[in-house]
Amino acid sequence: MQLHDLTWPAVEAYLQRSGGVIIPIGSTEQHGPSGVIGTDAMVADAIARETGRRADLLVAPLFSIGVAEHHMAFPGTLSLRPSTLIALLLDTLHSLAHHGFRRFFFINGHGGNIATLKAAFSEIHAGQRGQGGDRALGCALVNWYEVADVVRLRKQYYADREGRHATPSEIAVIQYLRPDLIHDQPLPPPGPLRSEVQGADDFRAKYPDGRMGGWSDLANPQQGQALFEAAVRGLVRQVPAFFSS
Amino acid sequence: MQLHDLTWPAVEAYLQRSGGVIIPIGSTEQHGPSGVIGTDAMVADAIARETGRRADLLVAPLFSIGVAEHHMAFPGTLSLRPSTLIALLLDTLHSLAHHGFRRFFFINGHGGNIATLKAAFSEIHAGQRGQGGDRALGCALVNWYEVADVVRLRKQYYADREGRHATPSEIAVIQYLRPDLIHDQPLPPPGPLRSEVQGADDFRAKYPDGRMGGWSDLANPQQGQALFEAAVRGLVRQVPAFFSS
Amino acid sequence: MQLHDLTWPAVEAYLQRSGGVIIPIGSTEQHGPSGVIGTDAMVADAIARETGRRADLLVAPLFSIGVAEHHMAFPGTLSLRPSTLIALLLDTLHSLAHHGFRRFFFINGHGGNIATLKAAFSEIHAGQRGQGGDRALGCALVNWYEVADVVRLRKQYYADREGRHATPSEIAVIQYLRPDLIHDQPLPPPGPLRSEVQGADDFRAKYPDGRMGGWSDLANPQQGQALFEAAVRGLVRQVPAFFSS
Amino acid sequence: MQLHDLTWPAVEAYLQRSGGVIIPIGSTEQHGPSGVIGTDAMVADAIARETGRRADLLVAPLFSIGVAEHHMAFPGTLSLRPSTLIALLLDTLHSLAHHGFRRFFFINGHGGNIATLKAAFSEIHAGQRGQGGDRALGCALVNWYEVADVVRLRKQYYADREGRHATPSEIAVIQYLRPDLIHDQPLPPPGPLRSEVQGADDFRAKYPDGRMGGWSDLANPQQGQALFEAAVRGLVRQVPAFFSS
Amino acid sequence: MQLHDLTWPAVEAYLQRSGGVIIPIGSTEQHGPSGVIGTDAMVADAIARETGRRADLLVAPLFSIGVAEHHMAFPGTLSLRPSTLIALLLDTLHSLAHHGFRRFFFINGHGGNIATLKAAFSEIHAGQRGQGGDRALGCALVNWYEVADVVRLRKQYYADREGRHATPSEIAVIQYLRPDLIHDQPLPPPGPLRSEVQGADDFRAKYPDGRMGGWSDLANPQQGQALFEAAVRGLVRQVPAFFSS
Amino acid sequence: MQLHDLTWPAVEAYLQRSGGVIIPIGSTEQHGPSGVIGTDAMVADAIARETGRRADLLVAPLFSIGVAEHHMAFPGTLSLRPSTLIALLLDTLHSLAHHGFRRFFFINGHGGNIATLKAAFSEIHAGQRGQGGDRALGCALVNWYEVADVVRLRKQYYADREGRHATPSEIAVIQYLRPDLIHDQPLPPPGPLRSEVQGADDFRAKYPDGRMGGWSDLANPQQGQALFEAAVRGLVRQVPAFFSS
């Protein structure tokens, strides 16, 4: 159930039965020579939508731009300063809280967002300090690629060729969701993983085609479907438990 | 051509032929008893996508939350403070400018965003002060419902029953785009337009069901299609002219 | 009645009969080769003072610097970032509201301020969300040059030679208010109006002497007096109605 | 020479002979039962204007609202947060510096502004770090009531009845500048000076009519004129020396 | 080598041989009924000082307050909003970078700081975008309790009684560093670990004495010494490698 | 009594008898060729600790970085923007106030912090406006070098060779506190005091070795001890009086 598809009386009715909302957040950033720039955003959004559909829970509109500073040396990447993303999240959660929502479950598609999401949760809680435990706003964050069954499949399919960026698993999910975006030419092996990256220029110097150890061309749509299903199945269990906590 | 659907080498190639990008911006806000909350966002996004497709120009991901303070007394509405939206736009445009983009054409679906967009343009230009005229970043803003042929059709179809919010024209475009979202029960006439609204509570006191004079139930999908086509046709002329200015 | 001319017990007494205050806002910016830099500020201030005097209503001190980024390539122009002006307006209105003022009527002399004023109103209203309609702070904005009778006179006197900046109408009001500032040498015709301006350097490239289509030298003090009177007469009707709304 | 009274070509000409500008800053705050709310602003502005006139130097428009938190329990007082005033000053000085101004001489009428002005100077200098000494922007601050000859007269006229707020010296200058604002009824003696004030409510508890030890009713316009002349004479010496430093 | 103990010519000399600086960061927060509020700060500071001493590298002054929102329901805890800590870190790193420092190694004592430190690193890198890879500022972060040998000892000493807050390992290091602060009364077993905490009130409801599963009273100074040594030994290897990267 | 050395139940107990806390604040900045960079921080911290010990009052952790923009042309200096320091102070005082603290006594070691501390106090008070006088948060600020007996000794020992920065008095206190940091080579006389400094580059141009008129090499540890004792004795009287005000 998409917030965008409801009328306001329908939202009012929903609030009678649940104070929870699912919020997808991704990124708009390079994903190597064959992965599309919307990968993180499209995957998080699709998983959130399907989770909401199966669990009959509300899904907010996608946050499609995240903190992607490391990828800014590749054209097409967009990046927010963490302080901007914090402000954006605070305004959104305050709006939802004004209507009576109390539980916010973020489904995240981009590791670079995690620190900023946690900082935003801290600011939300600081604003509520001393107002009593059971009225507290609750925030949860799950990275779709860390759902237990997804982790298992990623290992099974790709082992150490999964890498850290432009991974075959995320490429596979896109291939499943958007067959029109399949780039199926073979790629050279990605270079080795390197020490900690320091900013955008250093990233590109270390990973010239944008892949961090991910053998993107191992992906196929069947694996993508299995990964997607594993993520949704895991989340359909976790989200309602959190909403009733 | 959606930015999200491209790889980074494809964006690099695009920049060889154009420095322009289309950016849709909407709002997540109540649209009366029969209009869905995503109306402004979905319409702006669909028009931007189709304009980009026909003109073969790049389209950025949708900004789906805008400044909708007046609508905050209705559940489901989300609203950003203008200062947050300014920060969000600046980070986005600075990211694009870093890659070499120079022309930003916003297709807007919500009147409440206009002031903040203009303020953001002013901040963008302040940051460039003294760097020379021909390198200047250029920003344009068109509200889809003010494209000349759209204005003509809105008058022809609805005359003074168009109103100012939850208008039959925007409802009609949604009916065309998303037949599954048609709420076709008849509605009582909306109340009269009132003097200037002062904040969310005052809005709801003056417009209890969320419509500002709009006879939403006059909408039909055929009119929606005509309005959509009129908007896209107008924009397909305007955008390339702006990008080559 | 100027706030600056009252003692605090006199303000306390005023609050017994009215919760409204008039606030003039202008700009400090170039006005072409013959118009003075304080034009927008001085005109807004004089009209506000006279309106307050005739209607026996309180007038706040002038905001003399606005958002004038487009004019920054001409020496003497001062410009605030929109976020700075928003902060300045919020602190001022919160101060006034702390004392019990509830209605703020801005008399504006500069088009470039409008977007930022509207953004500030939105932030004011966001801060009041859920506190009840009849306690709401109310903000109104009138551009003196758009008072109905002023518009009529501007057309009658200058027709399409009025232009958009350094207009003969504003120059005329200054000539009426400050005969010592009359520059009465003839000027060459201003160049034609151009497409949308993108920042300060682009403005100066398109309008090298600072006038945007305004034949400043058509101004005379008699017309200035008539324009001034028309503005004040219109406002003396509008302001009290708003204060009692 | 008022910036507001010049055209932009006149400012351009001025910059050929001087990079300095005088900036008056006051406050909008209660001044006891007989002093007007604009006292600090009107005095600083008048002294700055006359200094500029005699020294043939440029004077910027008045900053009429300052940091007056302590006075906020008296109706009519306006107060900016220090961070707002810092932003306002930075935008203004950056605008002036963009045109080539290099020396900024603030004539201040309100003790509560000093800390914030110094903080703003520090932020200005931080922004210039490492750009070389002789191009550095220079900021000076003089409180008119601390000009040497003014201090002497204040002691001679009022001795320990001068007090700290709503002082007879500032009231006297207003009486000289604005005879129409003379409140000449006798007042009871002000209460004694108290320990450090902690916020607005504490101020009003300690100083119920707003005077901090100032016997406002000792003021007369002749003293006001002498004080005004002493301030201007002192500044006419200091300002040009600073501008050529 | 403490920055605070050097003269500026000594810093200048140090910069001839290294561009790296060690920065300790802790927190000021409750550590259960027997742990002191300065635990995280004192441990991080002592480990950083000793690491700097042995490796002959520069150590900056301690950041003693962190993001500790979850602990705010216990008296004595201090907490910064993430946006404040980001600003503090940026100003500090920009100061160091102005002098020529290029590598910043944070030794952290508090898990709640990690997200904000990473967000700050992202803002630092955003500010450097496009300035070239080898000049890039480099930031590293190590939590002392995650140094490999420390992890091993924590398991060996306390196994699953280590818990997550007010852990015996951190208490032990304090006992080693500050024998005067040993609280050696036995404590009741801590309650079980609970689901995700939502803000300060929820934390105290779930963990009434402040311990999150940590059997603080298992600590002893000998273990504290061994943990401290393990941390320092590990860091003495890591830091120089990072500085020369 | 150091906050860092207490458990949270001990802080809870302290709040039963006092709502006051002492807060040391210094700076990390050059102190000439023989003074160490931590001078202001170490002196303020030591005086605060000893004052707290003798008066049995709580002492917060040191703020070791201040506003030191003028000193930024000397390596090792760290400087916060005033707006950053304001945010840091506000978060800290709000944390303390949340626990019930009501009186904050800052012991300051650096003149450059004064303006920003006062600005922060003003922001604190603005946030409390209208909440009643006796609940008001109270802030006091004493510069240790301005305690009456310290002023007397500084004149007696050094007369006009005290200067304004890298003064023999502060160097002497460091020599007393940290004999290991004594640099006892003789120095050439410092240059003369110059007109107002404008930023870091101008400071270094005017004071090439960092001393502003201070004959640092006149210092000795015995004088340092006497100065330290004078400061502590004065503060042991002032602080409790303020806490019970």
Side-chain angles (χ1 to χ4, degrees):
Chain A
M1 194 171 13
Q2 294 295 114
L3 175 59
H4 270 195
D5 291 354
L6 300 186
T7 63
W8 70 259
V11 178
E12 198 167 63
Y14 176 85
L15 278 160
Q16 298 301 312
R17 66 175 175 92
S18 175
V21 61
I22 297 167
I23 308 175
I25 179 167
S27 183
T28 295
E29 68 184 43
Q30 69 85 14
H31 273 77
S34 67
V36 296
I37 279 172
T39 298
D40 292 346
M42 289 191 282
V43 174
D45 196 40
I47 290 173
R49 284 170 178 265
E50 184 61 14
T51 300
R53 198 187 63 76
R54 293 193 199 169
D56 198 25
L57 292 169
L58 196 65
V59 182
L62 170 69
F63 286 91
S64 58
I65 310 179
V67 176
E69 184 53 39
H70 278 7
H71 302 284
M72 278 298 300
F74 296 91
T77 300
L78 306 182
S79 184
L80 302 183
R81 284 168 298 157
S83 52
T84 298
L85 183 52
I86 289 173
L88 179 59
L89 293 166
L90 291 188
D91 285 8
T92 302
L93 298 191
H94 287 148
S95 293
L96 288 164
H98 179 70
H99 302 309
F101 289 97
R102 283 291 171 272
R103 288 289 175 272
F104 311 110
F105 193 105
F106 284 86
I107 296 180
N108 178 40
H110 172 53
N113 292 339
I114 299 171
T116 301
L117 281 159
K118 289 190 173 172
F121 296 171
S122 176
E123 299 230 5
I124 280 283
H125 288 141
Q128 293 198 293
R129 202 184 283 168
Q131 293 177 12
D134 63 322
R135 291 288 297 161
L137 301 182
C139 302
L141 166 63
V142 168
N143 306 305
W144 73 265
Y145 49 86
E146 292 184 343
V147 169
D149 281 354
V150 176
V151 172
R152 193 179 48 74
L153 286 177
R154 289 164 65 208
K155 283 189 188 145
Q156 173 189 325
Y157 292 155
Y158 315 116
D160 60 359
R161 295 190 165 181
E162 169 75 347
R164 295 218 204 111
H165 187 69
T167 64
S169 60
E170 56 191 352
I171 306 288
V173 179
I174 290 291
Q175 290 183 341
Y176 163 60
L177 296 170
R178 294 284 305 275
D180 59 309
L181 298 181
I182 297 179
H183 291 243
D184 54 6
Q185 67 277 48
L187 295 171
L193 286 171
R194 307 284 299 277
S195 62
E196 187 85 5
V197 161
Q198 301 290 351
D201 301 322
D202 188 40
F203 185 104
R204 188 151 184 176
K206 286 177 173 156
Y207 303 108
D209 76 358
R211 291 177 295 162
M212 291 179 82
W215 294 60
S216 315
D217 52 357
L218 299 180
N220 70 47
Q222 293 72 32
Q223 292 166 340
Q225 181 170 19
L227 289 158
F228 179 85
E229 283 294 326
V232 171
R233 274 197 316 270
L235 288 161
V236 163
R237 279 191 300 272
Q238 284 184 61
V239 177
F242 175 68
F243 283 178
S244 57
S245 70
Chain B
M1 195 173 11
Q2 293 295 115
L3 175 60
H4 270 195
D5 292 354
L6 301 186
T7 61
W8 71 258
V11 177
E12 198 167 64
Y14 176 84
L15 278 160
Q16 298 302 312
R17 65 174 174 93
S18 174
V21 60
I22 297 168
I23 307 175
I25 179 165
S27 183
T28 295
E29 67 182 43
Q30 69 88 15
H31 272 77
S34 67
V36 296
I37 279 172
T39 298
D40 293 347
M42 289 192 282
V43 174
D45 196 41
I47 290 173
R49 284 171 180 264
E50 185 61 15
T51 301
R53 198 186 64 75
R54 294 193 197 167
D56 197 26
L57 292 169
L58 197 65
V59 182
L62 170 68
F63 287 92
S64 59
I65 310 179
V67 175
E69 185 53 39
H70 278 7
H71 301 285
M72 277 299 298
F74 296 90
T77 300
L78 306 181
S79 184
L80 303 182
R81 284 169 297 155
S83 52
T84 299
L85 183 52
I86 289 173
L88 178 59
L89 293 166
L90 292 188
D91 284 9
T92 303
L93 298 192
H94 287 147
S95 292
L96 289 164
H98 178 71
H99 301 310
F101 290 97
R102 283 289 170 273
R103 289 288 176 272
F104 311 109
F105 193 105
F106 285 86
I107 296 180
N108 179 41
H110 173 53
N113 293 338
I114 299 170
T116 301
L117 281 160
K118 288 190 175 173
F121 297 170
S122 175
E123 299 229 5
I124 281 282
H125 288 140
Q128 293 198 294
R129 200 185 285 168
Q131 294 177 13
D134 63 323
R135 289 287 298 160
L137 301 182
C139 302
L141 166 62
V142 168
N143 306 303
W144 72 265
Y145 48 87
E146 292 183 345
V147 169
D149 281 355
V150 176
V151 171
R152 194 178 47 73
L153 285 177
R154 289 164 65 208
K155 282 189 189 148
Q156 173 189 325
Y157 291 155
Y158 313 117
D160 60 359
R161 295 189 165 183
E162 168 76 347
R164 295 219 204 111
H165 187 69
T167 62
S169 60
E170 57 191 349
I171 305 289
V173 178
I174 290 291
Q175 290 184 340
Y176 163 61
L177 297 171
R178 293 283 306 273
D180 60 309
L181 297 180
I182 296 179
H183 292 243
D184 54 6
Q185 67 276 48
L187 295 171
L193 286 172
R194 306 283 300 277
S195 63
E196 186 85 6
V197 161
Q198 301 291 349
D201 301 321
D202 188 41
F203 185 105
R204 187 150 184 177
K206 286 177 173 155
Y207 303 108
D209 76 358
R211 292 176 294 162
M212 290 179 82
W215 294 62
S216 315
D217 53 358
L218 299 181
N220 69 49
Q222 293 71 33
Q223 292 166 341
Q225 181 170 19
L227 289 158
F228 178 87
E229 284 294 327
V232 171
R233 274 197 315 271
L235 288 160
V236 164
R237 279 192 300 271
Q238 284 185 62
V239 177
F242 175 68
F243 283 179
S244 57
S245 72
Chain C
M1 196 173 9
Q2 293 295 115
L3 175 60
H4 269 196
D5 292 354
L6 300 186
T7 62
W8 71 258
V11 177
E12 198 167 63
Y14 176 85
L15 278 160
Q16 297 303 311
R17 65 175 175 92
S18 175
V21 59
I22 297 167
I23 307 176
I25 180 166
S27 183
T28 296
E29 67 184 43
Q30 68 87 14
H31 272 75
S34 67
V36 295
I37 279 172
T39 298
D40 292 348
M42 289 192 281
V43 174
D45 195 41
I47 289 173
R49 284 170 179 263
E50 184 62 14
T51 300
R53 198 185 65 74
R54 293 194 198 168
D56 198 25
L57 293 169
L58 197 65
V59 182
L62 170 69
F63 287 92
S64 57
I65 310 180
V67 176
E69 184 53 38
H70 278 8
H71 302 284
M72 277 299 298
F74 295 91
T77 300
L78 306 181
S79 184
L80 303 182
R81 284 169 297 157
S83 52
T84 298
L85 183 53
I86 289 173
L88 178 60
L89 292 166
L90 291 188
D91 284 9
T92 302
L93 298 192
H94 286 148
S95 292
L96 289 164
H98 178 69
H99 301 310
F101 289 97
R102 282 290 170 273
R103 288 288 176 273
F104 311 109
F105 194 105
F106 284 85
I107 295 180
N108 179 40
H110 173 53
N113 292 338
I114 299 170
T116 301
L117 282 159
K118 288 190 174 173
F121 296 171
S122 175
E123 298 230 6
I124 281 282
H125 288 141
Q128 294 199 293
R129 203 184 283 169
Q131 294 177 12
D134 63 323
R135 290 288 297 161
L137 300 182
C139 302
L141 167 62
V142 168
N143 306 304
W144 71 265
Y145 49 85
E146 293 183 344
V147 169
D149 281 357
V150 176
V151 171
R152 192 178 49 73
L153 286 176
R154 289 164 65 208
K155 282 189 189 146
Q156 173 190 323
Y157 292 154
Y158 314 116
D160 60 359
R161 295 189 166 184
E162 169 74 347
R164 295 218 205 112
H165 187 68
T167 63
S169 60
E170 56 192 350
I171 305 289
V173 179
I174 290 291
Q175 290 183 340
Y176 163 60
L177 296 170
R178 295 284 305 274
D180 60 309
L181 299 180
I182 297 178
H183 292 242
D184 53 5
Q185 67 277 47
L187 296 171
L193 286 172
R194 308 284 300 275
S195 63
E196 187 85 6
V197 161
Q198 301 291 350
D201 302 322
D202 189 39
F203 186 104
R204 186 151 184 176
K206 285 177 174 157
Y207 303 108
D209 75 358
R211 291 177 295 162
M212 290 178 82
W215 294 60
S216 314
D217 52 357
L218 298 181
N220 69 49
Q222 292 72 31
Q223 291 166 341
Q225 180 170 19
L227 289 158
F228 179 85
E229 284 293 327
V232 172
R233 273 196 317 268
L235 288 161
V236 164
R237 279 191 301 270
Q238 284 185 61
V239 177
F242 175 67
F243 284 179
S244 57
S245 74
Chain D
M1 195 173 9
Q2 294 296 114
L3 174 60
H4 271 196
D5 292 354
L6 301 185
T7 62
W8 72 259
V11 177
E12 198 167 63
Y14 176 86
L15 278 160
Q16 298 303 311
R17 66 175 174 92
S18 175
V21 59
I22 297 168
I23 307 176
I25 179 166
S27 183
T28 296
E29 67 183 42
Q30 69 87 14
H31 272 76
S34 66
V36 296
I37 279 172
T39 299
D40 292 347
M42 289 191 282
V43 174
D45 196 40
I47 290 173
R49 285 172 179 261
E50 185 62 14
T51 301
R53 198 186 64 75
R54 293 195 199 168
D56 198 26
L57 293 170
L58 196 65
V59 182
L62 170 69
F63 287 92
S64 58
I65 310 180
V67 176
E69 184 53 38
H70 278 9
H71 301 285
M72 277 299 298
F74 295 91
T77 300
L78 306 181
S79 183
L80 302 183
R81 284 169 297 156
S83 52
T84 299
L85 183 53
I86 289 172
L88 178 59
L89 292 166
L90 291 188
D91 285 9
T92 302
L93 298 192
H94 287 148
S95 293
L96 289 164
H98 179 70
H99 301 310
F101 289 97
R102 281 292 170 270
R103 289 288 176 270
F104 310 109
F105 194 105
F106 284 86
I107 296 180
N108 179 41
H110 172 53
N113 292 339
I114 299 170
T116 302
L117 282 160
K118 288 190 174 171
F121 296 170
S122 175
E123 299 230 5
I124 280 283
H125 289 140
Q128 293 197 292
R129 202 184 283 169
Q131 294 176 12
D134 62 324
R135 289 289 297 161
L137 301 182
C139 302
L141 166 62
V142 168
N143 305 304
W144 71 265
Y145 48 85
E146 293 183 344
V147 169
D149 281 355
V150 175
V151 171
R152 193 178 49 72
L153 286 177
R154 287 164 66 208
K155 282 188 188 147
Q156 172 189 326
Y157 292 155
Y158 314 116
D160 60 359
R161 296 191 164 181
E162 168 75 348
R164 294 219 205 111
H165 188 68
T167 62
S169 60
E170 56 191 350
I171 305 289
V173 179
I174 291 290
Q175 289 184 342
Y176 163 61
L177 296 170
R178 293 285 305 274
D180 59 310
L181 297 181
I182 297 179
H183 291 243
D184 54 5
Q185 68 277 46
L187 295 171
L193 285 172
R194 306 285 300 277
S195 63
E196 186 87 4
V197 161
Q198 301 290 351
D201 301 322
D202 188 40
F203 185 105
R204 185 149 185 177
K206 286 177 173 156
Y207 303 108
D209 75 358
R211 291 177 295 162
M212 292 178 82
W215 294 61
S216 314
D217 52 358
L218 298 180
N220 69 49
Q222 293 72 31
Q223 291 166 341
Q225 181 170 18
L227 290 158
F228 179 85
E229 283 294 326
V232 171
R233 274 197 315 268
L235 289 161
V236 164
R237 279 191 301 272
Q238 284 185 61
V239 176
F242 175 67
F243 283 179
S244 56
S245 73
Chain E
M1 195 170 12
Q2 293 295 114
L3 174 59
H4 270 196
D5 293 353
L6 300 186
T7 61
W8 71 258
V11 177
E12 198 167 62
Y14 177 85
L15 278 160
Q16 298 302 312
R17 66 174 174 93
S18 175
V21 61
I22 297 168
I23 307 176
I25 179 166
S27 183
T28 296
E29 68 183 42
Q30 69 87 15
H31 273 77
S34 67
V36 296
I37 279 172
T39 298
D40 292 347
M42 290 191 282
V43 174
D45 196 40
I47 290 173
R49 285 171 178 263
E50 185 62 13
T51 301
R53 198 186 64 76
R54 294 193 199 169
D56 198 26
L57 293 170
L58 196 65
V59 182
L62 169 69
F63 286 92
S64 59
I65 310 179
V67 175
E69 185 52 38
H70 278 8
H71 302 284
M72 277 299 298
F74 296 91
T77 301
L78 306 181
S79 183
L80 303 183
R81 285 168 297 155
S83 52
T84 299
L85 183 52
I86 289 172
L88 178 59
L89 293 166
L90 292 189
D91 284 9
T92 302
L93 298 191
H94 287 148
S95 293
L96 288 164
H98 178 69
H99 302 310
F101 290 97
R102 282 291 170 272
R103 287 289 176 270
F104 311 109
F105 193 105
F106 284 85
I107 296 181
N108 179 40
H110 173 53
N113 293 338
I114 299 170
T116 302
L117 281 160
K118 289 191 174 171
F121 297 170
S122 175
E123 299 229 6
I124 281 283
H125 288 142
Q128 294 198 294
R129 199 184 285 168
Q131 295 176 10
D134 64 324
R135 290 287 299 161
L137 301 182
C139 302
L141 166 62
V142 168
N143 306 304
W144 71 265
Y145 49 87
E146 292 183 345
V147 169
D149 280 356
V150 176
V151 171
R152 193 179 48 73
L153 286 176
R154 289 164 64 207
K155 283 188 189 146
Q156 173 189 325
Y157 292 154
Y158 314 116
D160 60 359
R161 296 189 166 183
E162 168 75 347
R164 294 220 206 111
H165 188 68
T167 64
S169 60
E170 56 191 349
I171 305 288
V173 178
I174 290 291
Q175 290 183 341
Y176 163 60
L177 296 170
R178 294 285 305 274
D180 60 310
L181 298 181
I182 296 180
H183 292 242
D184 55 5
Q185 68 276 47
L187 295 172
L193 285 171
R194 308 283 301 277
S195 62
E196 186 86 5
V197 161
Q198 301 291 350
D201 301 322
D202 189 39
F203 185 105
R204 187 152 184 175
K206 286 178 173 155
Y207 303 108
D209 75 359
R211 291 177 296 163
M212 292 179 80
W215 294 60
S216 315
D217 51 359
L218 298 180
N220 69 48
Q222 292 72 32
Q223 291 167 342
Q225 181 171 20
L227 290 158
F228 179 85
E229 284 293 327
V232 171
R233 275 196 315 270
L235 289 160
V236 164
R237 280 191 301 272
Q238 285 185 62
V239 177
F242 175 68
F243 284 178
S244 57
S245 72
Chain F
M1 197 172 12
Q2 293 295 115
L3 175 59
H4 270 196
D5 291 354
L6 301 185
T7 63
W8 70 259
V11 177
E12 197 167 63
Y14 176 85
L15 278 160
Q16 297 302 311
R17 65 174 175 92
S18 175
V21 61
I22 297 168
I23 307 175
I25 179 165
S27 183
T28 296
E29 67 183 44
Q30 69 87 13
H31 272 76
S34 67
V36 296
I37 279 171
T39 298
D40 293 346
M42 289 192 280
V43 174
D45 196 40
I47 289 173
R49 283 171 179 263
E50 185 62 13
T51 300
R53 199 186 62 75
R54 294 194 198 169
D56 198 26
L57 292 169
L58 197 65
V59 182
L62 170 69
F63 286 92
S64 58
I65 310 178
V67 175
E69 185 52 39
H70 278 8
H71 301 285
M72 278 298 299
F74 295 91
T77 300
L78 306 181
S79 183
L80 303 182
R81 284 169 298 156
S83 52
T84 298
L85 183 53
I86 289 172
L88 178 59
L89 293 166
L90 291 188
D91 284 9
T92 302
L93 298 191
H94 288 148
S95 292
L96 289 163
H98 179 70
H99 302 310
F101 289 98
R102 282 291 170 272
R103 288 288 176 273
F104 310 110
F105 193 106
F106 284 86
I107 295 180
N108 179 41
H110 173 53
N113 292 338
I114 299 170
T116 301
L117 281 160
K118 289 191 174 172
F121 296 170
S122 175
E123 299 229 5
I124 280 282
H125 288 140
Q128 293 198 291
R129 202 184 284 169
Q131 293 178 13
D134 63 322
R135 292 285 299 159
L137 300 182
C139 302
L141 166 62
V142 168
N143 305 305
W144 72 265
Y145 48 86
E146 293 183 344
V147 170
D149 281 357
V150 176
V151 171
R152 193 178 47 73
L153 286 177
R154 289 163 65 207
K155 281 187 188 148
Q156 173 189 325
Y157 292 153
Y158 314 116
D160 59 359
R161 295 189 165 183
E162 169 74 347
R164 295 218 204 111
H165 188 68
T167 63
S169 60
E170 57 191 349
I171 305 290
V173 179
I174 290 291
Q175 290 184 342
Y176 163 60
L177 297 170
R178 293 285 306 274
D180 60 308
L181 298 181
I182 296 179
H183 292 243
D184 54 6
Q185 67 278 46
L187 296 171
L193 286 172
R194 308 284 300 277
S195 63
E196 187 83 6
V197 161
Q198 301 291 350
D201 301 322
D202 188 39
F203 186 105
R204 187 151 185 177
K206 286 179 173 155
Y207 303 108
D209 76 359
R211 291 177 295 163
M212 290 178 82
W215 293 62
S216 314
D217 52 358
L218 299 181
N220 70 47
Q222 292 72 32
Q223 291 166 343
Q225 181 170 18
L227 289 158
F228 179 84
E229 283 294 326
V232 172
R233 274 197 316 271
L235 288 161
V236 164
R237 281 191 299 271
Q238 284 185 62
V239 177
F242 175 67
F243 283 179
S244 57
S245 72

